[in-house]
Amino acid sequence: MTAVRTPPVAPRLRRDRRRWAWGLGGVAVLGWSLAGAGLFSGPVVNPAGVRQFGRFASAALSPAHDAEFLGVLAEATLVTVAYAALGAALAVALGAIGAVGLARTTWGRRRAGWTVSRSLLAVPRGLHEAVWGLLLLNVLGLDPWVGVLAIGIPYGAVTAKVFADLLDEVPRGGYEALLAAGAGRGSAALYGLLPSAAGGLLSYSFYRLECAVRSAVVLGLIGAGGLGYQLALSFASLRWEQVWAAVYALAALCMLADLGGRAVRRRVAAPRPAGGQAPTRDPLLTGAVVGSLALMAWSWWFLALTPATLTAGRTLDQLGYVLRAAWPPAADGDLLAAVAVAAVDTVQMSVIAIALATASALGVSGLAARRPGAGPGRWALGAGIRFALLLLRAVPPPVWALVLLFVLLPGVLPGALALGVYTLGVLGRLVAEATEEVDPRPRASLRVAGASRLGGWLYGVLPALSGPVLALALYRWEVAIRDTVLVGLLGAGGIGVLLSGRIAAFDWAAVTTVLATIVLLSLAVDLLSERTRTALR
């Protein structure tokens, strides 16, 4: 008797309630943030500033180009480059030293020590480099060390964490062999792990140099000198043609850093010779390393750094005074209430910024992505959008906030939109690169079946982008929560306004309370972001 085969039944699709809950929760938080920004409760537009905004926009076509100002701009650019080079070098050095103590491999099964060592990074990582700059200005005064240390300390903490993760990913054969031979864990990590991770470490080091250029500009806005300082002076005097000249100089500097860093990362990621051939020295990587070392030496000479400044009697006295005045933290009711209100404004600002940047980045990613074989018109359009994104991320968020305050009333919204515009410049580039890596066959199949260009992108590209875009957006949210402090330092709302006022009043006990709140807020966003990625994965 022949058994009757039952035709296979497709499994019943079920909705993942957890994902729906997280998604609806995100929409609710966005609505709460928009309401908190005053979008639904009253006027937010300042009609009186429209004319000034028009003058600012029209000056983009006629930037300052007189010889005297261009000379000032060139010197400011050199200061910015020097800060970025030495700040990145210090960050890499601190990262290399700290990575050995942070890697899970070197701790083995001692999870408590590994957890404590990672937790110690919360303070330097949680404070924006502009905050470090303000604090260091009160200790060192107007010294070039302020710019270098303000970049090197927070970037060093981030670099140590990334380097440690890279060390944990490499094969452990050499490390374990050295341990068996009697070497200590530090020496075994230095000689058994670092050589294997050298490519990734070099790639990330050059990425940090790119980021340091933008941070050096930001530090100029708080008085550390360089392009950011010149930009702030021109803005304060309403010299829009000078502002745009500085913006274009910033864009050119960022473009050079992006192109150089991308070339190094691509060369590091290129496949090695097969067939047992011995690897040859790469001229590009060798030149990049030698050039970086030469740039560091020149930067040290150009800034005239003196290590004795860090141990001078005045510096130590001022540091001791600040530390004594900062402890214990202030805990009066009025301050805590103000901190709570400012923290809520900060969260709302960051949520609006990320929502705006993510939606806009998705909208332009298809056009900004490079497509092989594209015609001249399509290539020109993509190049124009990529240049516009470069301009958006070249201009620091506080400058965008000051511009938006021409047409918007003061509050959370101008700061949120300023952060959104800046973050769009970053996310737009990253999402465009993710779009370039998506498998083109589903979209091509839909186009052959008669789908429109928009339909092919919506159903053939967007589903594949959802995971990477979500990860990038959540990562940028972690960064944005720190950048809100920077926007607030210049008066655009959030907890940075409170911090700036307390520093100006030399109320160091209150400064400690505000700084602790910023660190805790950053940690909370980091944990929530990680939980969200896990839930939606």
Side-chain angles (χ1 to χ4, degrees):
M1 184 175 178
T2 305
V4 179
R5 290 188 176 182
T6 303
V9 179
R12 188 177 180 182
L13 295 177
R14 296 183 179 179
R15 291 175 179 166
D16 190 332
R17 295 182 179 179
R18 187 173 56 176
R19 292 191 177 189
W20 277 92
W22 279 94
L24 292 175
V27 173
V29 170
L30 176 59
W32 167 72
S33 300
L34 291 172
L39 197 62
F40 309 131
S41 58
V44 294
V45 178
N46 177 25
V50 173
R51 184 177 178 183
Q52 191 65 256
F53 181 81
R55 293 180 58 193
F56 166 79
S58 62
L61 302 177
S62 56
H65 56 275
D66 57 284
E68 182 179 359
F69 181 72
L70 291 181
V72 172
L73 209 58
E75 184 175 357
T77 302
L78 293 179
V79 173
T80 298
V81 170
Y83 279 152
L86 290 180
L90 177 60
V92 171
L94 294 176
I97 296 171
V100 176
L102 293 174
R104 189 189 297 269
T105 302
T106 57
W107 284 99
R109 297 183 179 181
R110 294 173 292 178
R111 294 185 58 85
W114 177 79
T115 303
V116 170
S117 64
R118 292 241 168 177
S119 300
L120 291 176
L121 293 180
V123 174
R125 285 177 56 227
L127 299 181
H128 194 281
E129 50 269 24
V131 176
W132 281 106
L134 281 176
L135 297 176
L136 289 167
L137 276 172
N138 281 275
V139 174
L140 297 171
L142 292 175
D143 191 273
W145 275 110
V146 170
V148 176
L149 293 176
I151 295 173
I153 292 173
Y155 276 18
V158 175
T159 303
K161 181 178 181 296
V162 174
F163 278 11
D165 292 340
L166 290 173
L167 292 180
D168 286 335
E169 295 297 324
V170 301
R172 304 186 185 184
Y175 171 77
E176 292 173 352
L178 288 170
L179 284 180
R185 290 185 178 272
S187 300
L190 183 63
Y191 295 103
L193 296 177
L194 281 179
S196 301
L201 301 180
L202 179 64
S203 176
Y204 186 78
S205 298
F206 276 92
Y207 170 71
R208 271 295 138 200
L209 179 59
E210 298 174 40
C211 299
V213 170
R214 299 186 184 92
S215 295
V217 173
V218 168
L219 291 172
L221 295 173
I222 61 170
L227 272 174
Y229 183 65
Q230 186 58 49
L231 183 62
L233 289 178
S234 299
F235 201 102
S237 58
L238 305 183
R239 300 294 299 271
W240 304 129
E241 67 283 354
Q242 292 184 1
V243 169
W244 279 104
V247 166
Y248 291 140
L250 282 173
L253 194 59
C254 290
M255 183 182 294
L256 288 175
D258 287 352
L259 291 175
R262 184 179 299 181
V264 169
R265 290 195 298 274
R266 285 180 176 175
R267 190 60 62 92
V268 169
R272 295 293 180 261
Q277 298 179 3
T280 58
R281 179 174 295 178
D282 191 307
L284 175 63
L285 295 181
T286 302
V289 172
V290 173
S292 299
L293 294 174
L295 180 61
M296 287 179 232
W298 170 84
S299 300
W300 187 279
W301 168 82
F302 181 76
L303 295 176
L305 290 180
T306 305
T309 303
L310 301 178
T311 57
R314 179 199 172 280
T315 300
L316 297 178
D317 290 343
Q318 184 66 12
L319 177 62
Y321 162 73
V322 170
L323 292 178
R324 288 191 299 270
W327 195 264
D332 58 277
D334 291 341
L335 175 64
L336 295 181
V339 167
V341 171
V344 170
D345 289 346
T346 296
V347 172
Q348 292 175 335
M349 193 184 301
S350 67
V351 169
I352 296 172
I354 291 303
L356 170 66
T358 304
S360 303
L362 277 172
V364 303
S365 61
L367 297 175
R370 295 176 174 86
R371 292 178 58 186
R378 172 65 177 77
W379 180 89
L381 177 61
I385 293 176
R386 288 192 294 272
F387 180 73
L389 293 174
L390 176 64
L391 282 180
L392 295 183
R393 64 179 180 267
V395 179
V399 176
W400 288 121
L402 293 174
V403 170
L404 289 169
L405 282 171
F406 287 143
V407 294
L408 296 174
L409 296 175
V412 171
L413 192 60
L417 294 181
L419 279 174
V421 168
Y422 172 78
T423 307
L424 170 59
V426 179
L427 267 185
R429 170 194 168 186
L430 297 175
V431 176
E433 292 176 352
T435 303
E436 295 169 5
E437 298 175 0
V438 170
D439 187 353
R441 290 175 295 182
R443 181 179 186 180
S445 300
L446 288 169
R447 293 284 291 145
V448 170
S452 64
R453 290 182 181 273
L454 179 60
W457 185 83
L458 286 175
Y459 296 101
V461 177
L462 187 57
L465 277 179
S466 59
V469 169
L470 176 65
L472 290 171
L474 289 172
Y475 167 70
R476 287 305 307 181
W477 185 33
E478 300 170 19
V479 177
I481 202 71
R482 299 176 180 90
D483 286 345
T484 54
V485 179
L486 168 63
V487 173
L489 287 175
L490 298 182
I495 202 168
V497 175
L498 186 59
L499 177 64
S500 178
R502 297 297 176 170
I503 291 178
F506 303 105
D507 188 355
W508 296 112
V511 167
T512 303
T513 302
V514 178
L515 292 180
T517 304
I518 293 172
V519 172
L520 292 175
L521 197 59
S522 299
L523 283 175
V525 169
D526 289 353
L527 292 174
L528 181 59
S529 176
E530 180 61 30
R531 289 290 303 274
T532 305
R533 282 194 292 266
T534 302
L536 299 179
R537 188 168 296 159

